Amino acid sequence: MIPMMLLISALVFFALELAPVDPISYMVSPDMSMDSANLEALRESLGLNDPAYIRYFRWLGNIFKGDFGYSIVDGSSISRIIALKLPATFELALGALILSSVLGIALGIVSAIRQNGIIDYVSRFLGVVGVSLPQFFVAIIIVQLFAVKLGWFPTGGREVYGAVTFWDRLPNLVLPLVTMILSMTAVLVRYTRNTMLDVMSKDYVKTARSTGIAEWKVYIKHVFRNAMGPVLVIIVFRLPMLIGGSVVIESVFAWPGIGSVILGGVSTGDYPVVMMSTLMTSAVILFASFLVDLLTAMLDPRVRFE
Amino acid sequence: MKTKVKSPLQKKIEKLIANRLAIMGFVLVLIILLACIAAPIITDFDPREIDYGAILQAPSKEHIMGTDKLGRDVFSRVLYGGRTSIYIGVAASLSGALLGLVMGALAGYFGGRIDSLFTRLSEIMLTFPNMILILVLTAIIGRGVGVLIFIYAITGWMTPYRMIRSSFLSLREETYVEVARSFGFSDARIIFNHILPNTLSPLMVTATTNVATYILNEAGLSFIGVGIPIQIPTWGSIMNAAKSIDVVTSYWWLWLFPGVILSLFVLAVNFLGDGLRDAFDPKQ
């Protein structure tokens, strides 16, 4: 995990080097206006004339100290932007991840146990539909239906300021969350179903069944536990997609998360903001996949003993 | 009495034809594709022709999908836009698959350092949020049809790579490869003539479903305004108008028609891809 993070940070740093901006503009808060002689002195004192690798390590050190630099567009501190926006994305992503995992795994299990039953057919069909409909199109339809026509929920935005509780924020959260859940559940149902079916044809399941224990015990203890490993892996694999997908969702619902920050940064050429947000997002994803690796080890003794 | 022996390929094709959803998907793909190609025959309207005398008209006999804010015919824009959307999807999927195929064949056949390098690279790129990587790359390289295809290729080779690599890893131990090697065949000949043909059918399935993925991705990017420049109609860039809530509520034809056609096409490609998977790749 740590070498991976270092590598990504190096990629981010050198991409920033390639971007057509003067680094001084994002190392110094823009309110400190100064003439070019001062600027040159500052450049020397900040060590901007040092070789790239030295500057890389210094930059890395600053990040560890919590100094992320400044936006070149409005001069605000990047750490503040991230601290403000990342929680919004998490609220959405985590909610979608948990709900779609529960829903997807449950439907997948039922589809596998009652193979070719009604639930199986419906969820298989919806599975393909769910991955085929563009998220933003689904979002527009949902907004048109539930926000404009029925007026049940706001069309977008997020309540943050003041002493608002989670329950005050909930109405704004519902529609983007539902949109995200639809497509994520679709993939998971299908994968869970196929993995379950795969495990169900294994010899040890037949053996377990032949010992005469209750059918539901066979499913819970022998099939489900063995199917969970691959399903967890696919959930982790979808984490980056979840964060990436939030860019579109956040744009449609005017959700002030990190996706909006990155999108805004890309549109205005605010490279430092884009790079730092990317770095932070990948750090979170890496950490999450590390947690899931631990979880897999707990579920699967073979991994633990390796 | 003579029984007719069917080749494996014949059996696979029969299985595919028996799959009703797959055939429906195939027919729908064909209809939309042909309509887009034949756009100049189907409609007389130029997708870029601005007509201030006819802005924001609801669907009528003359403009069957209405007109947009600049008076351009939406039906014509959907057809011509489909050309670009489908072209991007197909070209991106093929170039990603080709890149993955070459890298996977090299890594799987030769192993060693080249293998660990490519595999490590693919792992890193898979943990990275693809959408964000694409956004950053468009910011650095620029925007346009060719650029987007290039970006999709360099961010989308990982899955084909992993498939081809693992097939090569297992196939290179097969007896027939040993035999070919003992005949003194060159590595290139063994890779291309003896191993590669046996790895292609799963790749074909993935490439098909990837066409759908890339069309969706391009639509999403163009919709939020960072994909294909708004001057070039694609299914996504047409729907960019629906970013404003006024358009969503009052001018439904601006987003509903392109959205439905886009969804139908992607759905059809996915049904076809699923059918191909069932027929050619029984493991999945």
Side-chain angles (χ1 to χ4, degrees), chain A residues 105 220-233 235 291-305:
Chain A
I105 292 173
I220 301 285
K221 278 186 75 174
H222 300 276
V223 181
F224 178 67
R225 278 194 61 172
N226 287 300
M228 247 338 59
V231 170
L232 274 177
V233 171
I235 291 178
L291 283 185
V292 175
D293 279 350
L294 284 184
L295 203 63
T296 323
M298 274 164 59
L299 281 174
D300 189 345
R302 280 172 307 182
V303 178
R304 200 165 42 217
F305 291 130

Side-chain angles (χ1 to χ4, degrees), chain B residues 32-281:
Chain B
I32 297 178
L33 184 68
L34 287 178
C36 291
I37 293 172
I41 305 171
I42 297 177
T43 173
D44 294 330
F45 289 103
D46 183 327
R48 297 175 194 211
E49 196 183 271
I50 295 169
D51 180 1
Y52 287 114
I55 57 168
L56 291 170
Q57 288 183 353
S60 62
K61 258 188 193 152
E62 201 194 350
H63 299 284
I64 58 171
M65 290 184 183
T67 60
D68 69 3
K69 280 179 168 167
L70 298 173
R72 295 173 295 195
D73 180 62
V74 175
F75 180 56
S76 156
R77 289 177 67 71
V78 168
L79 288 184
Y80 283 97
R83 286 181 171 190
T84 316
S85 288
I86 296 170
Y87 169 67
I88 292 173
V90 172
S93 166
L94 285 183
S95 29
L98 194 68
L99 194 59
L101 185 143
V102 172
M103 291 172 78
L106 290 176
Y109 187 78
F110 293 110
R113 239 189 235 161
I114 191 168
D115 180 34
S116 41
L117 178 73
F118 286 172
T119 306
R120 202 86 195 119
L121 194 64
S122 76
E123 280 168 1
I124 292 172
M125 291 191 66
L126 278 172
T127 39
F128 211 69
N130 216 346
M131 190 74 172
I132 292 174
L133 190 61
I134 293 169
L135 278 180
V136 172
L137 284 174
T138 51
I140 295 173
I141 310 177
R143 287 162 57 187
V145 174
V147 174
L148 198 60
I149 293 171
F150 172 73
I151 289 174
Y152 283 147
I154 60 170
T155 55
W157 54 272
M158 293 86 76
T159 317
Y161 166 79
R162 291 164 85 92
M163 290 171 70
I164 294 288
R165 174 180 172 268
S166 66
S167 311
F168 263 79
L169 279 181
S170 59
L171 287 178
R172 74 168 180 199
E173 308 297 335
E174 294 278 324
T175 323
Y176 80 93
V177 176
E178 292 283 313
V179 171
R181 209 172 278 143
S182 66
F183 276 165
F185 290 167
S186 69
D187 285 333
R189 179 164 172 185
I190 297 174
I191 290 177
F192 288 109
N193 290 5
H194 299 277
I195 304 184
L196 202 57
N198 294 311
T199 64
L200 287 183
S201 53
L203 185 67
M204 198 180 69
V205 174
T206 310
T208 308
T209 45
N210 271 351
V211 171
T213 313
Y214 286 125
I215 290 181
L216 277 184
N217 196 293
E218 181 273 319
L221 284 179
S222 302
F223 170 75
I224 57 177
V226 289
I228 299 300
I230 199 92
Q231 302 89 309
I232 304 172
T234 71
W235 286 330
S237 74
I238 299 172
M239 292 178 75
N240 179 271
K243 272 186 80 180
S244 91
I245 193 79
D246 289 345
V247 171
V248 172
T249 51
S250 318
Y251 309 115
W252 54 271
W253 59 90
L254 287 186
W255 54 267
L256 191 64
F257 289 124
V260 166
I261 299 290
L262 164 65
S263 307
L264 278 180
F265 189 80
V266 172
L267 196 63
V269 171
N270 277 332
F271 277 133
L272 179 62
D274 274 2
L276 285 174
R277 174 168 302 144
D278 288 342
F280 285 87
D281 195 11

Side-chain angles (χ1 to χ4, degrees), chain A residues 4 7-8 11 15 125 128-129 131-134 136-137 140-141 143-144 148 155 190 194 237 240 243-245 247-248 251-252 262-263 266-267 271 274-275 278 281-282 285-286 289, chain B residues 21 120 123-124 126-132 135-136 138-140 162 216 219-221 223-224 226 236 239 242-243 245 248-249 255-256 259-260 262-263 266-267 270-271 274 277 284:
Chain A
M4 199 87 134
L7 206 104
I8 291 177
L11 283 178
F125 184 75
V128 185
V129 174
V131 294
S132 299
L133 297 188
F136 65 94
F137 184 50
I140 295 174
I141 293 176
V143 165
Q144 171 74 348
V148 178
T155 55
R190 189 168 159 160
N194 292 350
F237 257 72
I243 302 281
V247 175
V248 174
S251 167
V252 181
I262 294 176
L263 184 60
V266 167
S267 319
Y271 296 98
V274 173
M275 296 305 173
T278 311
T281 324
S282 17
I285 291 173
L286 273 177
S289 56
Chain B
L21 275 178
R120 202 86 195 119
E123 280 168 1
I124 292 172
L126 278 172
T127 39
F128 211 69
N130 216 346
M131 190 74 172
I132 292 174
L135 278 180
V136 172
T138 51
I140 295 173
R162 291 164 85 92
L216 277 184
L221 284 179
F223 170 75
I224 57 177
V226 289
M239 292 178 75
K243 272 186 80 180
I245 193 79
V248 172
T249 51
W255 54 267
L256 191 64
V260 166
L262 164 65
S263 307
V266 172
L267 196 63
N270 277 332
F271 277 133
D274 274 2
R277 174 168 302 144
Q284 299 255 335

Side-chain angles (χ1 to χ4, degrees), chain A residues 32-102:
Chain A
M32 300 191 247
S33 55
M34 52 189 71
D35 55 75
S36 59
N38 273 343
L39 217 58
E40 192 45 48
L42 187 71
R43 195 182 295 275
E44 188 57 48
S45 72
L46 283 173
L48 286 179
N49 298 329
D50 294 340
Y53 69 95
I54 294 184
R55 280 183 290 126
Y56 166 68
F57 285 112
R58 197 179 295 136
W59 176 77
L60 209 59
N62 283 344
I63 291 177
F64 279 117
K65 280 186 270 167
D67 176 10
F68 289 7
Y70 299 93
S71 153
I72 53 171
V73 171
D74 61 6
S76 48
S77 128
I78 295 178
S79 44
R80 244 187 77 77
I81 300 179
I82 290 177
L84 214 61
K85 303 296 174 94
L86 205 55
T89 298
F90 276 156
E91 199 172 275
L92 200 58
L94 214 63
L97 187 71
I98 293 171
L99 289 174
S100 72
S101 299
V102 171

Side-chain angles (χ1 to χ4, degrees), chain A:
Chain A
M1 185 180 142
I2 288 165
M4 199 87 134
M5 208 50 236
L6 281 177
L7 206 104
I8 291 177
S9 72
L11 283 178
V12 166
F13 179 78
F14 290 105
L16 251 180
E17 288 282 293
L18 286 177
V21 269
D22 184 354
I24 201 133
S25 54
Y26 62 84
M27 297 189 78
V28 180
S29 177
D31 7 293
M32 300 191 247
S33 55
M34 52 189 71
D35 55 75
S36 59
N38 273 343
L39 217 58
E40 192 45 48
L42 187 71
R43 195 182 295 275
E44 188 57 48
S45 72
L46 283 173
L48 286 179
N49 298 329
D50 294 340
Y53 69 95
I54 294 184
R55 280 183 290 126
Y56 166 68
F57 285 112
R58 197 179 295 136
W59 176 77
L60 209 59
N62 283 344
I63 291 177
F64 279 117
K65 280 186 270 167
D67 176 10
F68 289 7
Y70 299 93
S71 153
I72 53 171
V73 171
D74 61 6
S76 48
S77 128
I78 295 178
S79 44
R80 244 187 77 77
I81 300 179
I82 290 177
L84 214 61
K85 303 296 174 94
L86 205 55
T89 298
F90 276 156
E91 199 172 275
L92 200 58
L94 214 63
L97 187 71
I98 293 171
L99 289 174
S100 72
S101 299
V102 171
L103 204 64
I105 292 173
L107 281 175
I109 291 173
V110 176
S111 300
I113 294 177
R114 299 254 175 280
Q115 200 191 349
N116 297 325
I118 295 174
I119 293 182
D120 187 22
Y121 269 116
V122 171
S123 58
R124 262 157 77 190
F125 184 75
L126 288 182
V128 185
V129 174
V131 294
S132 299
L133 297 188
Q135 268 189 336
F136 65 94
F137 184 50
V138 174
I140 295 174
I141 293 176
I142 285 181
V143 165
Q144 171 74 348
L145 225 62
F146 295 100
V148 178
K149 283 262 160 66
L150 297 171
W152 290 354
F153 302 102
T155 55
R158 178 181 185 240
E159 309 275 339
V160 242
Y161 301 103
V164 275
T165 65
F166 174 74
W167 298 109
D168 293 326
R169 295 206 303 269
L170 193 63
N172 292 72
L173 187 62
V174 172
L175 294 187
L177 202 57
V178 167
T179 316
M180 275 192 133
I181 290 172
L182 283 180
S183 69
M184 288 178 63
T185 310
V187 179
L188 210 58
V189 171
R190 189 168 159 160
Y191 195 79
T192 308
R193 170 186 180 271
N194 292 350
T195 315
M196 287 282 289
L197 286 178
D198 204 33
V199 175
M200 272 153 74
S201 65
K202 290 271 160 63
D203 282 339
Y204 58 76
V205 174
K206 287 178 195 147
T207 312
R209 196 168 274 151
S210 70
T211 60
I213 58 171
E215 193 69 352
W216 63 269
K217 265 190 182 164
V218 176
Y219 285 123
I220 301 285
K221 278 186 75 174
H222 300 276
V223 181
F224 178 67
R225 278 194 61 172
N226 287 300
M228 247 338 59
V231 170
L232 274 177
V233 171
I234 208 77
I235 291 178
V236 177
F237 257 72
R238 295 190 62 74
L239 272 180
M241 262 179 261
L242 182 65
I243 302 281
S246 74
V247 175
V248 174
I249 297 280
E250 286 179 10
S251 167
V252 181
F253 289 101
W255 189 259
I258 205 78
S260 307
V261 171
I262 294 176
L263 184 60
V266 167
S267 319
T268 55
D270 203 343
Y271 296 98
V273 169
V274 173
M275 296 305 173
M276 283 314 302
S277 318
T278 311
L279 191 63
M280 285 302 112
T281 324
S282 17
V284 171
I285 291 173
L286 273 177
F287 184 66
S289 56
F290 172 70
L291 283 185
V292 175
D293 279 350
L294 284 184
L295 203 63
T296 323
M298 274 164 59
L299 281 174
D300 189 345
R302 280 172 307 182
V303 178
R304 200 165 42 217
F305 291 130
E306 249 173 33

